[in-house]
Amino acid sequence: IKHLLSAADLDAQHATLVLDTAAELANVSSREVKKLPTLRGRTVVNLFYEDSTRTRISFEAAAKRLSADVINFSAKGSSVSKGESLKDTALTLQAMGADAVVVRHPASGAPHRLASWVDGSVVNAGDGTHEHPTQALLDAYTMRSRLGRVAGLHVAIVGDVLHSRVARSNVLLLTTLGAKVTVIGPPTLIPVDVGPALSPDLRVSYDLDAVLPDVDVVMMLRVQRERMNDSFFPSTREYARRYGLDAARMRRLPEHAIVMHPGPMVRGMEITPEVADSARSTIVEQVANGVSVRMAVLYLLLGGK
Ligand code: CP
């Protein structure tokens, strides 16, 4: 594999290789070896046309821990404001010798276009409402590390599935790895063709309370105000009442079940602070695991030794 554009690029064997490599790299990092020489002399460009906290910093940390040179490009403050196209920006970065381009873009499909213009590897760090494959990998890694496996788990993905690239990539990856997935949310925020379009094994529910007692993992999603007309944005109170995870709902989960959220979260809407900060929550762990998983992705794509 040269690029990582979609979770569908990974079959079970490739996905497991990424997770195993991430576990090995996490072990090495925990042994006080903060930097590996693996990607010395290689250049990783972070090309971000959309805001990010976790993904951008995590890819930067991952590349630096592998000794790569890192160039951070943010559309804000660049010549994009003067009308420069994605293609011309990509060719400029190419001329500077990018071995890998990590791209986040508001347009679904932008990483695919980029991959046809540059010689290096392209990693999709989130494109519009389409996909966010490294988020799905770090989520699978977190499930495996907390619950020992992914195959056979029942994962509920709850909230604004319609606009969620995290949901799409997770459905693809988790079903590839043998998990059972149920997406849950208000009918207006679930795509009508979600089942057959993504995976024949996917289930859909509009009733969170009914599904919670049967899950191993509940993954809460943010309602993406920036991708919808204000008049469609649900009231916080009404949304929280039907689809928010609070302490009372958390008690409906089996004892071993974990609570996940990709971040950024809106405390008080899709999740209460009490739940987000509880022992069941893996939210901070997901961020830490993201560095190891992104190290593995860069290592495998760039043929690290
Ligand atoms: N989960 C995630 O993609 O977070 P950021 O938008 O902060 O990168």
Side-chain angles (χ1 to χ4, degrees), residues 51-55 104 132 135 262-264:
D51 294 342
S52 167
T53 298
R54 281 146 287 271
T55 312
R104 170 167 290 191
H132 194 352
Q135 178 69 45

